[in-house]
């Protein structure tokens, strides 16, 4: 299930946590900052930030990450 619906960290088939943009094993503000860098074009290395699992990494994923952190 997408992070947006469950507000739970979910491991995908590569043992990465969905939404864990910096791949440190936890979802926190650092993931939001990593995603922000990706969206602004200053960071090209985001692989795991598709928090709403719609197949693209965009502002919607950053909003889901932010909401997850605020509702933990």
């Amino acid at each position: 299930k997408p992070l947006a619906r469950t507000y739970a960290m979910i491991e995908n088939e590569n043992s990465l946590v969905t939404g864990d943009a910096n791949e440190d094993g936890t979802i926190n503000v650092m993931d939001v900052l990593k995603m922000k860098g990706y969206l602004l074009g200053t960071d090209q290395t985001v692989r795991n930030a598709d928090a709403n699992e719609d197949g693209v990494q965009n502002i919607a994923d950053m909003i889901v990450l932010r909401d997850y952190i605020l509702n933990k």
Side-chain angles (χ1 to χ4, degrees):
K1 292 181 182 178
L3 186 65
R5 287 187 223 135
T6 63
Y7 288 106
M9 295 187 297
I10 301 167
E11 290 190 11
N12 64 25
E13 63 276 359
N14 298 320
S15 295
L16 297 172
V17 178
T18 300
D20 183 17
N22 67 354
E23 298 180 14
D24 67 353
T26 61
I27 296 176
N28 55 36
V29 70
M30 298 308 293
D31 298 301
V32 175
L33 294 175
K34 179 89 169 169
M35 188 64 185
K36 178 182 173 186
Y38 173 77
L39 294 173
L40 293 174
T42 60
D43 193 332
Q44 302 298 319
T45 60
V46 177
R47 300 185 307 140
N48 195 45
D50 186 15
N52 64 2
E53 297 182 342
D54 65 353
V56 293
Q57 296 176 0
N58 56 29
I59 190 69
D61 299 300
M62 196 166 94
I63 291 167
V64 168
L65 290 174
R66 182 206 61 200
D67 290 348
Y68 172 76
I69 293 165
L70 292 176
N71 290 301
K72 276 208 263 194

